[in-house]
Amino acid sequence: MRGPGEHTYDCQQCGACCCNPDENRSERYIDYVEVTRRSALASHPRLLQRLTVVNASGERHMRLRGAEQRCVALEGTLGLRVACTIYALRPAGCRAVVPGSKECRRDRRERGIDFVK
Ligand code: SF4
Ligand code: SF4
């Protein structure tokens, strides 16, 4: 899709917003993508157990992994080709991200993903 500045924001070549942002990292905050009881994922107990973690307050979030602190449901290589393995069940926060938005551009910048024309 086209966003500000005529850049193309191809989510399948990106994945930046599926990684914990720098501000969270600096605060050692790993509760990035919340999974509420109303989430479609909540009705899949096995996936829920494998892909999410519960914090000390009892809130559930997507599990992060690796140095990239990427969501465990993300497959592929950041900035090249990625896919969300639970796309139809992804939490509300994931659905709210707008390609080309301020947050999107911040996430891409932080993960070193160049704009693709
Ligand atoms: S950071 Fe932007 S372009 Fe990248 S996956 Fe997220 S919404 Fe799509
Ligand atoms: S659930 Fe899917 S869209 Fe949401 S952060 Fe994880 S990989 Fe990205």
Side-chain angles (χ1 to χ4, degrees):
M1 105 172 239
R2 290 280 172 190
E6 295 301 307
H7 294 299
T8 298
Y9 294 90
D10 184 347
C11 297
Q12 292 179 309
Q13 288 185 345
C14 179
C17 63
C18 300
C19 302
N20 206 17
D22 283 356
E23 186 179 357
N24 288 358
R25 291 167 193 244
S26 68
E27 296 168 359
R28 297 180 182 275
Y29 185 81
I30 57 167
D31 295 344
Y32 178 42
V33 180
E34 186 172 12
V35 181
T36 67
R37 289 176 201 277
R38 287 185 304 182
S39 167
L41 188 56
S43 56
H44 295 261
R46 265 184 270 169
L47 279 177
L48 207 60
Q49 188 171 11
R50 184 158 57 86
L51 302 178
T52 68
V53 289
V54 178
N55 68 15
S57 305
E59 298 158 344
R60 191 178 289 275
H61 295 82
M62 295 304 295
R63 189 186 298 276
L64 303 178
R65 69 180 163 103
E68 287 171 328
Q69 294 192 25
R70 58 194 272 171
C71 172
V72 73
L74 188 72
E75 272 189 354
T77 304
L78 284 185
L80 204 60
R81 178 60 52 186
V82 291
C84 172
T85 58
I86 55 159
Y87 190 75
L89 302 175
R90 70 198 190 285
C94 307
R95 297 168 191 269
V97 182
V98 178
S101 65
K102 189 174 148 198
E103 292 74 22
C104 162
R105 287 180 282 127
R106 176 206 63 193
D107 292 343
R108 289 176 64 109
R109 194 169 53 245
E110 288 182 359
R111 302 281 70 81
I113 294 171
D114 293 327
F115 295 122
V116 181
K117 294 246 181 180

